[in-house]
Amino acid sequence: MINVTRSSMPEFEEYTEEIKKLWDTKWLTNRGAIHRELEEKLKNYLGVENISLFTNGHLALETILDGLDLKGEVITTPFTFASTTQAIVRCGLTPVFCDINEDDFTIDINKIESLITDKTCAILPVHVYGNICNIEEIQKIADKYGLKVVYDAAHAFGIKYRGKGIGNFGEASMFSFHATKVFNTIEGGAVCYHDKNLGIKMERLKNFGIVDEDHIDEIGGNAKMNEFQAAMGVCNLRHVDNEIEKRKHVVQRYRERLENQKGIKLSPVQADVIPNYSYFPVLFDEEVLGYTRDNIRDALKEQGINARKYFYPLTNEIPNYSEHFKIQDTPIAYKISRQVLTLPLYADLSLKDVDRICDIILSYHN
Ligand SMILES: *Cc1c(COP(=O)(O)O)cnc(C)c1O
């Protein structure tokens, strides 16, 4: 069985060595020593000034929206994991769905301005699959209308844009360290941000609003990262460059085999970006091919290969939201969600298995 992804893990002994000290300190969470160590190491690795760690990426995103005290409408895209839209709604905000680009699936900057109203407070674009949004143009629009920009960078760990860590753009960026992501802390996440006051507020929000022994100043919840998560992070961070390098070889092989096939489209390589090879989405155009994305998904499944329909359904068609939004308003996202299949990709996926996957796809193709 080949799954769409497989979690990166250190050697068992490397992890147990890391957590052993917890049996001495008996300090398991609430900014423990390993948590602080991971924070410093991540700041350095991601090339950011400020970082705050969370128990998962989703709560990290909610905490940004909460911490910025946003009210009203947030412009975002429906071609993403459910979390992005759910975070907006759970924070009492209204999502407004903008369509995406055909090639890189990020927010279409030419369609943002027509969605801005006097209720708009923020833009929440997604660096989907690690494809980087048009950062400069998004910031220009935000500046023109006085909006905050918050990035869902769940897929973008370690990516550099024009030499800068991707966590440096906008008001704040959320990274996910979920088990399935390029870098994991089992479950986990982080926010990179600029404003120190936002940082202080988020630290309180993720710990019940507690300021100190005598003061509770925010309506906070609990979103803290624990020491076992942080220890997994410290270990995985030692190997992440190597993992990304191995992913690169997998992606190169996929590209060699699947490029320039009629009706099959790959995501473009982006200029000025050092990528992390987090996902390998492929579009199957039924009108050219005479077969569907689902046919390929099924053909792979029969051979024990689990490719996934990321991202289908769109978040504006999930039942809680579909009464309020029309998928017709985001036609490109709609089309892509029907064509896309995300192929298996992880560091230890052998090139032999990549060839087998491509053989199945190409034999169906021809
Ligand atoms: C994984 C993911 C999240 C949520 O992160 P968790 O760490 O799983 O809570 C949010 N947005 C996107 C696009 C994701 O892929």
Side-chain angles (χ1 to χ4, degrees):
M1 177 81 200
I2 297 177
N3 231 326
V4 70
T5 187
R6 201 164 85 180
S7 297
S8 299
M9 291 176 85
E11 292 295 324
F12 178 69
E13 288 74 19
E14 185 180 350
Y15 185 63
T16 51
E17 192 56 41
E18 208 57 56
I19 58 172
K20 216 174 183 174
K21 43 195 151 183
L22 299 173
W23 269 258
D24 300 326
T25 63
K26 307 277 198 281
W27 187 300
L28 303 185
T29 186
N30 290 53
R31 284 190 68 76
I34 311 178
H35 179 291
R36 282 174 282 145
E37 179 186 347
L38 181 61
E39 249 177 12
E40 285 311 309
K41 291 193 161 143
L42 282 174
K43 261 200 264 183
N44 186 36
Y45 186 85
L46 297 172
V48 295
E49 251 176 283
N50 303 302
I51 196 167
S52 180
L53 304 183
F54 286 80
T55 192
N56 60 55
H58 178 83
L59 286 173
L61 186 56
E62 286 194 10
T63 305
I64 302 174
L65 300 178
D66 208 0
L68 287 171
D69 231 343
L70 298 174
K71 306 259 174 326
E73 297 173 357
V74 176
I75 296 173
T76 187
T77 60
F79 189 73
T80 179
F81 187 51
S83 168
T84 320
T85 305
Q86 308 276 43
I88 293 169
V89 176
R90 285 169 55 88
C91 288
L93 297 156
T94 305
V96 173
F97 293 104
C98 184
D99 211 355
I100 59 172
N101 298 323
E102 280 224 62
D103 54 353
D104 64 15
F105 321 125
T106 64
I107 195 164
D108 182 344
I109 47 136
N110 297 310
K111 293 181 183 160
I112 296 175
E113 279 193 87
S114 66
L115 298 171
I116 295 175
T117 71
D118 54 6
K119 297 198 188 74
T120 310
C121 58
I123 308 172
L124 204 175
V126 184
H127 298 306
V128 64
Y129 306 125
N131 290 340
I132 298 312
C133 301
N134 191 331
I135 288 167
E136 288 91 356
E137 291 304 318
I138 291 168
Q139 197 58 52
K140 268 189 212 159
I141 295 168
D143 291 344
K144 183 169 164 193
Y145 293 91
L147 308 174
K148 306 278 190 203
V149 181
V150 174
Y151 283 104
D152 181 331
H155 299 171
F157 185 84
I159 292 179
K160 286 204 162 61
Y161 175 65
R162 297 198 164 156
K164 275 176 94 172
I166 201 65
N168 286 294
F169 301 97
E171 200 73 30
S173 296
M174 175 275 286
F175 292 97
S176 166
F177 306 153
H178 182 258
T180 56
K181 304 297 207 281
V182 166
F183 166 79
N184 84 77
T185 59
I186 311 171
E187 294 261 8
V191 176
C192 298
Y193 59 93
H194 296 291
D195 178 7
K196 297 265 191 228
N197 289 324
L198 173 63
I200 292 168
K201 191 154 180 196
M202 289 192 299
E203 288 301 314
R204 292 172 184 172
L205 285 171
K206 75 178 178 192
N207 188 29
F208 311 104
I210 294 171
V211 177
D212 56 37
E213 275 182 47
D214 303 313
H215 301 94
I216 299 174
D217 276 6
E218 305 284 347
I219 306 173
N222 181 3
K224 300 186 300 290
M225 178 180 280
N226 70 50
E227 290 291 271
F228 288 82
Q229 291 173 291
M232 187 60 107
V234 166
C235 294
N236 279 334
L237 195 58
R238 292 185 191 121
H239 307 288
V240 72
D241 282 337
N242 187 34
E243 297 266 310
I244 291 172
E245 184 63 24
K246 288 193 301 221
R247 284 171 170 273
K248 179 178 170 180
H249 293 300
V250 172
V251 166
Q252 279 171 343
R253 185 65 144 244
Y254 271 134
R255 283 197 178 277
E256 279 163 29
R257 295 288 316 269
L258 300 177
E259 227 150 30
N260 304 320
Q261 299 285 340
K262 207 158 170 259
I264 296 182
K265 213 174 127 197
L266 312 180
S267 239
V269 174
Q270 291 188 301
D272 301 323
V273 174
I274 298 177
N276 66 0
Y277 307 100
S278 47
Y279 296 88
F280 197 76
V282 178
L283 302 183
F284 293 93
D285 185 346
E286 185 186 355
E287 280 174 27
V288 178
L289 297 168
Y291 62 82
T292 66
R293 172 269 312 271
D294 287 9
N295 292 141
I296 290 292
R297 196 269 318 256
D298 295 343
L300 290 167
K301 197 148 217 171
E302 271 171 35
Q303 307 289 323
I305 295 157
N306 196 10
R308 293 291 297 273
K309 296 188 278 184
Y310 293 146
F311 287 95
Y312 166 91
L314 297 175
T315 65
N316 55 1
E317 62 182 312
I318 55 185
N320 272 304
Y321 306 127
S322 58
E323 317 173 24
H324 306 290
F325 306 103
K326 295 195 298 283
I327 45 175
Q328 292 87 331
D329 292 341
T330 55
I332 305 296
Y334 180 79
K335 187 175 90 177
I336 302 295
S337 72
R338 269 62 189 171
Q339 295 186 344
V340 72
L341 193 65
T342 303
L343 300 182
L345 172 55
Y346 45 87
D348 289 328
L349 184 64
S350 71
L351 296 184
K352 210 172 107 229
D353 282 333
V354 176
D355 280 337
R356 193 156 71 84
I357 292 163
C358 294
D359 287 343
I360 295 166
I361 293 170
L362 293 174
S363 67
Y364 210 97
H365 189 67
N366 296 316

